[in-house]
C-alpha cells in the first residue's frame, strides 16, 4: 500500500499507555466514521478545526510508527487495522473494534483500490477479479474473516 516498511515494523513494538484509545477495523469498515465520533465525544462535540487533520490527531499506527505516537497528548488516539494478535495491548487502554457487512466492505475496498492508482495500479481492475482476491485474503491487511474472528 505504500506504508514505510520501517514504520510498519516499528509499530509492532509500540507500548501502549493506559490512557490510549484505539480504533481498530479491517479497512473500509467505518474507521474514519468511528474516529470522528470518538474525537467529538472527547472534545464536547467540537469538530476538528480547518487546520487540523484526522491523520495527525488520530494517526494510523502501521503507517506512522511509534515515534509519531509518542508526540501525542493523552489520551492518545490511535487507528489500526491490525488483527487482535498483532495489536499492542495494555490492560487499561480502550479498544473499539468496528466491523461492517463484508459485502459492503469489499465493494468499498474495490473502489478505494481503484482510486489509488499509484499505490495499487488497479484502475482498470474489475470487481469479479477483486472479489476473488478479497475472498482469498490477497488484499491489504489480509483476510477479512480472519481479522474479524481474531477480535
Amino acid at each position: 500500500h505504500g506504508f514505510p516498511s520501517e514504520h510498519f515494523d516499528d509499530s509492532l513494538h509500540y507500548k501502549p499507555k493506559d490512557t490510549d484509545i484505539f480504533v481498530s477495523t479491517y479497512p473500509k469498515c467505518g474507521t474514519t466514521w468511528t474516529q470522528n465520533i470518538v474525537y467529538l465525544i472527547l472534545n464536547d462535540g467540537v469538530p476538528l478545526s480547518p487546520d487540523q487533520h484526522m491523520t495527525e490527531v488520530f494517526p494510523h499506527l502501521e503507517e506512522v510508527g511509534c515515534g509519531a505516537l509518542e508526540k501525542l497528548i493523552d489520551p492518545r488516539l490511535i487507528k489500526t487495522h491490525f488483527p487482535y494478535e498483532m495489536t499492542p495491548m495494555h490492560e487499561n487502554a480502550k479498544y473499539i473494534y468496528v466491523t461492517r457487512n463484508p459485502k459492503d466492505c469489499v465493494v468499498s475496498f474495490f473502489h478505494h483500490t481503484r482510486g489509488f492508482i499509484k499505490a495499487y495500479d488497479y484502475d482498470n481492475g474489475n470487481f469479479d477479479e477483486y472479489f476473488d482476491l478479497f475472498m482469498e485474503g490477497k488484499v491489504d491487511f489480509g483476510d477479512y474473516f480472519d481479522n474479524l474472528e481474531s477480535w
Side-chain angles (χ1 to χ4, degrees):
H1 181 306
F3 295 165
S5 61
E6 65 273 9
H7 291 175
F8 186 92
D9 293 341
D10 184 47
S11 69
L12 296 171
H13 305 287
Y14 177 66
K15 302 288 188 233
K17 293 167 98 176
D18 61 347
T19 55
D20 286 354
I21 301 172
F22 288 80
V23 167
S24 180
T25 68
Y26 185 83
K28 311 316 295 174
C29 285
T31 317
T32 304
W33 177 68
T34 306
Q35 286 176 275
N36 277 283
I37 291 170
V38 169
Y39 180 86
L40 289 169
I41 289 170
L42 294 174
N43 290 279
D44 298 320
V46 178
L48 291 171
S49 64
D51 63 327
Q52 290 179 301
H53 301 281
M54 188 60 70
T55 56
E56 295 167 0
V57 298
F58 215 131
H60 186 182
L61 174 59
E62 299 92 286
E63 188 173 358
V64 302
C66 299
L69 301 182
E70 298 300 330
K71 299 173 188 169
L72 297 175
I73 60 169
D74 289 343
R76 297 185 297 192
L77 306 176
I78 303 160
K79 163 187 166 178
T80 183
H81 293 312
F82 277 148
Y84 182 84
E85 63 274 5
M86 292 177 70
T87 302
M89 291 291 169
H90 187 289
E91 65 181 23
N92 295 321
K94 305 291 187 273
Y95 296 86
I96 301 167
Y97 184 77
V98 182
T99 191
R100 184 180 188 186
N101 184 313
K103 295 184 290 186
D104 296 326
C105 174
V106 69
V107 170
S108 181
F109 213 169
F110 168 70
H111 290 291
H112 172 87
T113 301
R114 285 190 56 182
F116 284 88
I117 298 166
K118 291 180 181 176
Y120 295 108
D121 191 27
Y122 200 76
D123 55 319
N124 292 318
N126 69 60
F127 181 76
D128 291 339
E129 184 179 279
Y130 190 83
F131 179 81
D132 290 341
L133 293 170
F134 179 84
M135 292 304 295
E136 294 167 11
K138 296 180 179 176
V139 294
D140 278 356
F141 294 94
D143 187 280
Y144 167 90
F145 299 98
D146 288 346
N147 186 292
L148 175 65
E149 186 177 35
S150 76
W151 284 91

